[in-house]
Amino acid sequence: MAVLMLPASAFAQRDAVSDLLAENAARERAESFLTEKGIAFERRSLLAERGGFGVSIHALIKPRLITEDSERITLVVAAPLGSIGKGARFGVEAALLFAERASRLGLPMDVRMALLADEAGELPADLRGEILLGSRDLADLYEDRERVAVVYLDLGDEARSPSIQHGAAGTLAPLGLLRPLTEAFAARGLVLPVAIPYNELYRLRLVAGPDPLAFLNGAGFQALLISNSALAERSRSSAPVSAEDFSAALYDFALSLSRSPAELDRRYTLFPLGFGIATIPEITSVALFLLAFAIGLAAILVYSITHRHLMIARGVVFLRRSWALGLFLAALFISLLSADFALSAAFRLFGAQAGGIGYGRAAVKLILALAAYLSFSPLLHRRPVPRRAHFYGAAAEIYFAAGVLVAAVIDFTFVPVFLWAFVLSVAVALIERPGIAFALATLAPLQIVGAAAAAAGSGDDRVALLLASNDPLLSLYLAFIILPFIFLFRRASALSVSRSGATHALRSRWARLLLLLGAALTAVVFAANETRAAAGAAEPVRVRLSETTGHGELAARMLRVTESDSPFLDRRSFVLKVEAEGRPSRIDLFLESGQPIPVYDSSVPFELSDDGLTASLRLSERPPQPLAVEFVLPRDLQAIVRARALYVRSPPSAPPRGDASDWALTVETNLEIGPGR
């Protein structure tokens, strides 16, 4: 263990320089540890294929007993060598200890330990280039990726309350990977919960998931990511997990991992129940669907034998009054549009156009929509809208039953969620006691509320964009989702209506008025706070120094580009040397010419424009100083090298950045190359 403990000073400062030093120190320590343990490893430079300046470390451990099992799965335990702002020491230590244990004790499968370089970027999103270069290099090693399971450790310098991220980019890690991992950690007394236990969010792409997991899943791997929970990162109240215990649990997981990819279920459902999470495999969802269908069909047949005339009469009455469903939907749709209009008007009171999109705005919009809908209720009752409780119960039952059937056709992942709501709607329709009916109606949307809360906790704002959007089509979609739950509450309300109708109507009128005023006041206060916060928020600052902006001399001093060339036959080999003031986050190089540029060879990857007149040399962040790049062009080709350095930390000669927190500087300069320059 001693050889693994990196110096604390290597992680003390969290800027690009110290992150780079920490990554280099981690790589050196990893190589020393693997050499000491007699584990063969490979250094994989990312420069030639990916334009990265880091070097990944891979160790491939073969099973002790070699068999011809074509179904054998490969396990990859990966960790970034470095990270921006939070370090990566724990993941490196845990991966190395796992590799040592696997090498010493053996496993019935191929195991690869991969310490990945150039995974993160520090530039703002609008300037960021390609990241996850180590993961992309890892993906290039495998063609049959369905047979490769990846566990990615993104835990910073300490593991505090680690959790599993199991979905991204519309895909899920298979149940045969998720369940053994949680069970292996639980067997050693380590809690490893699922961060977002709502597969529906991933299936509907309402949560993007971490970047490494999104890439690995999108590339076809079976991948999981283990990271610290956001709450643990902020509070640091929980005790850290030791790397030794963590690696031992990973080894137990590898022993229990299914060797056959055919056994890996991707259409399972996770069902949070408060005291834990129920895992429902796809076959169980199918069985539940068939059971519910059989019970429902049997109930209808039995009821039709004894109460055939009553069932037909009620069915006819329901069909005659079914036009009211469209009226309720229209009222809810108008309420959502009215809430959008009222919220925008509240922002205009304080000089803001519309305000930002977030979960706060979504919550205020729903409160306004509910208040508006309840205000419309008396207008609905001027028409002969049915008020009998069984009508609303039947409408909710039919709605959720249709949802179950649609889910069974589209994706069985959604079947248990609709079954939950359907069973509760049946219970609400059968129960005549208003208190119990209200309680069951409250439980029906619990999964949706929990999913929205989990999405908000993840920091992903896609659910907020859906809820707070002023798009009429999205408002109509929301109305379809909310309407059956309103039917459940209307049934419970109809059961509790007092016989003293006048007093009840008066109380309802005052209650609706107070709710509407309270919602309007909430919208105004929210708009005022958001406008004040937006006024105090710093705008992104982007500074550009180049000849076109009148800073040609300053840019040439800050970014110096020189070249040397040597002709050979019909070609000319160039060596560019780029020296930048300070430490730029990234250096971009472009070759431009008035004629097509055939690049015969290059020390870094490149891309040609569609017209062939521009060649872009692909380089990652954190370049060395000075930077040297070689390439070969036609001997007689004249071209211009356009160099660009991007900074997020101000170099000495840069203009003052002031108090800007989101600040970036771009310095550009040009150099002519070729004969006759």
Side-chain angles (χ1 to χ4, degrees):
M1 281 293 292
V3 74
L4 291 180
M5 299 306 295
L6 302 179
S9 60
F11 297 92
Q13 303 294 325
R14 290 266 71 95
D15 58 27
V17 178
S18 59
D19 282 326
L20 182 60
L21 293 175
E23 182 171 321
N24 292 335
R27 181 169 54 252
E28 292 172 2
R29 295 280 175 161
E31 293 177 359
S32 176
F33 176 82
L34 293 172
T35 301
E36 177 185 315
K37 299 299 180 181
I39 301 174
F41 63 91
E42 175 189 8
R43 300 181 183 90
R44 295 186 60 85
S45 173
L46 304 177
L47 183 61
E49 296 296 329
R50 295 291 171 185
F53 301 103
V55 178
S56 297
I57 302 296
H58 288 224
L60 182 61
I61 302 168
K62 290 289 186 179
R64 294 287 180 85
L65 179 62
I66 304 297
T67 66
E68 297 298 328
D69 185 2
S70 61
E71 294 294 319
R72 187 173 61 224
I73 199 169
T74 298
L75 175 63
V76 177
V77 175
L81 273 170
S83 182
I84 301 299
K86 66 176 184 179
R89 178 172 53 187
F90 183 88
V92 172
E93 292 181 9
L96 288 171
L97 290 172
F98 168 78
E100 186 274 333
R101 188 179 292 262
S103 176
R104 175 166 48 88
L105 302 178
L107 283 171
M109 63 188 68
D110 288 346
V111 173
R112 180 181 295 272
M113 187 277 303
L115 303 180
L116 307 176
D118 292 338
E119 287 290 276
E122 65 173 353
L123 284 170
D126 58 319
L127 299 175
R128 186 173 302 159
E130 190 176 62
I131 58 174
L132 302 173
L133 301 188
S135 294
R136 298 176 194 277
D137 175 65
L138 172 66
D140 291 341
L141 297 175
Y142 296 98
E143 294 183 359
D144 191 4
R145 297 170 184 171
E146 279 290 326
R147 300 183 186 278
V148 181
V150 181
V151 178
Y152 192 102
L153 309 180
D154 187 18
L155 290 159
D157 287 342
E158 290 182 328
R160 293 179 180 270
S161 299
S163 60
I164 302 174
Q165 303 273 359
H166 74 295
T171 61
L172 296 170
L175 184 58
L177 195 63
L178 177 63
R179 179 183 283 168
L181 185 62
T182 56
E183 291 176 349
F185 274 76
R188 289 189 173 267
L190 302 177
V191 179
L192 193 64
V194 177
I196 302 180
Y198 297 93
N199 291 353
E200 304 80 24
L201 292 175
Y202 295 117
R203 285 294 188 191
L204 295 173
R205 297 180 182 270
L206 293 177
V207 172
D211 289 337
L213 194 57
F215 168 75
L216 292 170
N217 281 345
F221 290 102
Q222 306 164 16
L224 290 169
L225 184 142
I226 304 178
S227 62
N228 289 328
S229 68
L231 179 61
E233 290 279 6
R234 291 192 298 267
S235 65
R236 303 184 66 83
S237 58
S238 58
V241 180
S242 73
E244 185 72 35
D245 293 340
F246 196 95
S247 63
L250 281 178
Y251 179 80
D252 295 343
F253 155 71
L255 284 176
S256 62
L257 186 62
S258 169
R259 298 172 66 189
S260 173
E263 300 175 13
L264 302 178
D265 175 13
R266 290 182 181 272
R267 298 190 179 276
Y268 59 96
T269 301
L270 299 180
F271 207 83
L273 296 173
F275 55 85
I277 298 176
T279 303
I280 306 176
E282 182 180 15
I283 187 64
T284 305
S285 296
V286 174
L288 289 174
F289 170 75
L290 295 177
L291 179 63
F293 184 81
I295 292 176
L297 185 60
I300 293 174
L301 291 176
V302 171
Y303 191 80
S304 65
I305 294 174
T306 57
H307 302 84
R308 181 174 64 256
H309 298 292
L310 180 60
M311 186 176 70
I312 293 175
R314 287 185 174 180
V316 170
V317 171
F318 181 85
L319 290 176
R320 287 178 177 176
R321 295 177 173 180
S322 59
W323 58 267
L325 302 180
L327 192 61
F328 287 126
L329 179 64
L332 187 55
F333 174 62
I334 294 173
S335 299
L336 290 168
L337 294 181
S338 301
D340 283 323
F341 177 80
L343 198 51
S344 298
F347 275 99
R348 285 195 293 270
L349 285 176
F350 300 97
Q353 290 298 319
I357 299 295
Y359 287 96
R361 183 187 178 101
V364 173
K365 173 185 173 178
L366 292 178
I367 292 173
L368 282 170
L370 176 62
Y373 179 79
L374 293 178
S375 299
F376 290 152
S377 294
L379 298 178
L380 295 177
H381 292 160
R382 292 179 182 273
R383 302 281 297 172
V385 177
R387 302 186 188 183
R388 296 183 62 179
H390 72 266
F391 175 83
Y392 300 116
E397 287 178 302
I398 293 173
Y399 202 108
F400 287 124
V404 173
L405 293 175
V406 172
V409 173
I410 297 176
D411 191 336
F412 262 94
T413 303
F414 304 106
V415 167
V417 178
F418 279 99
L419 276 178
W420 165 271
F422 174 70
V423 170
L424 288 175
S425 68
V426 172
V428 172
L430 294 177
I431 291 174
E432 298 294 332
R433 300 182 63 178
I436 299 177
F438 267 116
L440 294 177
T442 303
L443 290 176
L446 202 59
Q447 294 300 311
I448 293 179
V449 174
S458 71
D460 198 309
D461 61 356
R462 297 187 186 191
V463 174
L465 291 173
L466 172 64
L467 296 176
S469 173
N470 57 5
D471 187 339
L473 290 179
L474 288 179
S475 295
L476 184 61
Y477 175 69
L478 282 178
F480 269 108
I481 294 176
I482 297 172
L483 187 61
F485 299 105
I486 289 181
F487 286 151
L488 293 180
F489 284 104
R490 289 190 73 94
R491 169 171 169 79
S493 177
L495 292 174
S496 63
V497 170
S498 172
R499 293 186 178 182
S500 55
T503 304
H504 175 77
L506 181 62
R507 290 176 179 174
S508 297
R509 190 180 305 118
W510 281 109
R512 285 193 295 268
L513 179 60
L514 290 176
L515 179 60
L516 187 61
L517 291 176
L521 181 61
T522 300
V524 171
V525 172
F526 173 77
N529 291 336
E530 287 292 296
T531 304
R532 190 181 304 112
E539 292 290 331
V541 177
R542 302 290 180 261
V543 181
R544 183 166 173 256
L545 302 178
S546 67
E547 187 174 349
T548 57
T549 62
H551 303 89
E553 293 184 4
L554 177 59
R557 290 198 307 270
M558 296 179 63
L559 183 61
R560 298 177 298 278
V561 183
T562 58
E563 63 90 11
S564 60
D565 63 83
S566 56
F568 179 74
L569 299 178
D570 62 339
R571 302 183 180 186
R572 189 181 299 270
S573 177
F574 293 89
V575 177
L576 283 184
K577 183 179 180 182
V578 183
E579 297 177 275
E581 183 179 289
R583 184 168 288 275
S585 298
R586 192 179 75 227
I587 293 177
D588 297 333
L589 295 173
F590 305 91
L591 305 177
E592 299 177 349
S593 178
Q595 55 184 307
I597 304 177
V599 181
Y600 297 125
D601 194 13
S602 175
S603 61
V604 298
F606 63 91
E607 294 178 351
L608 291 176
S609 61
D610 293 338
D611 57 11
L613 302 181
T614 302
S616 304
L617 305 183
R618 289 167 44 197
L619 299 171
S620 73
E621 295 188 16
R622 298 185 297 178
Q625 289 291 323
L627 170 65
V629 176
E630 300 181 28
F631 51 87
V632 179
L633 300 177
R635 179 176 183 140
D636 298 328
L637 180 70
Q638 289 186 323
I640 295 176
V641 176
R642 183 159 57 89
R644 181 172 64 191
L646 292 89
Y647 296 82
V648 293
R649 285 165 306 282
S650 180
S653 301
R657 63 181 294 172
D659 297 329
S661 57
D662 186 358
W663 178 92
L665 169 68
T666 301
V667 180
E668 296 182 359
T669 189
N670 300 329
L671 175 70
E672 294 184 3
I673 61 173
R677 63 185 184 278

